[in-house]
Amino acid sequence: MGTMRHFRVWRGDDTGGSLEDFQVEVNEGEVVLDVIHRLQATQTPDLAVRWNCKAGKCGSCSMEINGKPRLGCMTRMSTFGDSETVTVTPLRTFPVIRDLVTNVNFNYQKARELPAFAPPKGVEPGEYRMQQVDVERSQEFRKCIECYLCQNVCHVVRDHEENKKAFSGPRFFIRAAELDMHPLDARGDRKELAQAEQGLGYCNITKCCTEVCPEHIKITDNAIIPMKERVVDRRYDPVTWLGRKIFRRDQLDEPAVTHASSPTGAASDTGSHWHQQGPVPQEPALGADGKLTVAELYLDRPAAASPFGDDQEFPLPPEKLRYNHPKNGH
């Protein structure tokens, strides 16, 4: 026999709603999603919640639990105190459809705007060849389950609805970084596209996205910061600037930014021949000053401290929680 626990669940739709209180049985080993299902079965059969695998791999059951974006299927009830109220609300950044279900079409639209993988010319499917060392750095980003918790917590769109048109968000920054680091991707303007069309410059690396990622992807340190560094190097490096003054533009290895949907936005041939001969791992080269010039390729930098602060503990006390319904039309 389980114990009775106090739950507060947001109920409503796109016109508004409120938090409702429930006393519900909780058994040992259960997760928040189990309790939500029990509420559906015993007290409120019309409660809407999105879920699928219940194994932390589909990303469907994203919600905010006691103020922190989490997966309902991966948040154990044992993490809360016996007398603690558990408050469950929908993702704040996206429009509410009903109860705990939000409209995440924003993310699918941004996915369509991102240029796809562009294989090198003359290479047929099945002929791609690369070594594990070539993909180790970008392989981390393939763990993304598209739960959109990183998108939800990013204040650029969470607090500023007007930014959504120009900002793709951390989920798609790691996709752009993955393709930019891919040894067979022939498109050479990923960095420029991230800056010009995805809104990379809007990100001020607060690392909230890294903090909430259930797959523990180091989104900021391993994807966003390297992309920002490459954009800055390309645009503001004094040697590159001097090169523009001395040489003609067509003599510089700087691809032009073309819109992903443009008819002329075809991928350029970068001269990659990875399919013919795999690269041989080499020791990192030292610059004239004796320092590594490509150190970021060889260092797995640990994530920084929590952006929520060292003195902040989750879950938040129920008396500090509030849920602001998104405005109509947003």
Side-chain angles (χ1 to χ4, degrees), residues 235-271:
R235 185 175 296 271
Y236 300 110
D237 184 82
V239 175
T240 304
W241 177 85
L242 183 61
R244 291 195 187 99
K245 298 295 183 181
I246 298 175
F247 300 101
R248 300 193 311 271
R249 184 173 295 275
D250 59 359
Q251 292 177 306
L252 296 175
D253 181 22
E254 181 170 357
V257 176
T258 55
H259 195 281
S261 59
S262 170
T264 60
S268 59
D269 183 6
T270 61

Side-chain angles (χ1 to χ4, degrees), residues 27-169:
N27 299 312
E28 184 178 359
E30 289 187 329
V31 295
V32 170
L33 186 60
D34 291 324
V35 181
I36 295 297
H37 287 165
R38 181 168 293 113
L39 282 174
Q40 288 178 318
T42 61
Q43 300 184 47
T44 173
D46 60 342
L47 174 62
V49 60
R50 183 182 284 131
W51 70 285
N52 188 17
C53 74
K54 203 186 173 188
K57 292 302 177 184
C58 73
S60 299
C61 61
S62 299
M63 56 186 71
E64 296 192 8
I65 304 171
N66 278 16
K68 184 175 181 179
R70 301 170 180 252
L71 294 179
C73 70
M74 298 300 289
T75 306
R76 293 197 173 275
M77 289 301 301
S78 59
T79 61
F80 308 109
D82 293 339
S83 59
E84 186 174 1
T85 297
V86 179
T87 304
V88 184
T89 58
L91 298 180
R92 175 66 184 85
T93 301
F94 308 113
V96 173
I97 297 177
R98 182 179 168 188
D99 299 338
L100 302 179
V101 179
T102 55
N103 186 341
V104 294
N105 282 347
F106 163 80
N107 301 288
Y108 300 116
Q109 177 61 38
K110 294 303 178 182
R112 286 192 291 268
E113 295 173 0
L114 183 65
F117 170 75
K121 293 180 180 180
V123 183
E124 299 297 328
E127 296 180 355
Y128 303 152
R129 296 292 183 272
M130 52 191 172
Q131 298 183 21
Q132 179 61 31
V133 67
D134 303 317
V135 295
E136 281 180 348
R137 191 165 185 229
S138 62
Q139 198 168 22
E140 172 190 13
F141 309 136
R142 300 292 294 183
K143 297 192 299 180
C144 175
I145 61 175
E146 295 196 327
C147 61
Y148 303 128
L149 294 182
C150 62
Q151 301 284 86
N152 174 67
V153 80
C154 180
H155 64 89
V156 176
V157 289
R158 184 181 178 95
D159 300 329
H160 303 280
E161 180 73 21
E162 66 276 10
N163 288 340
K164 285 187 176 180
K165 184 176 181 180
F167 187 75
S168 294

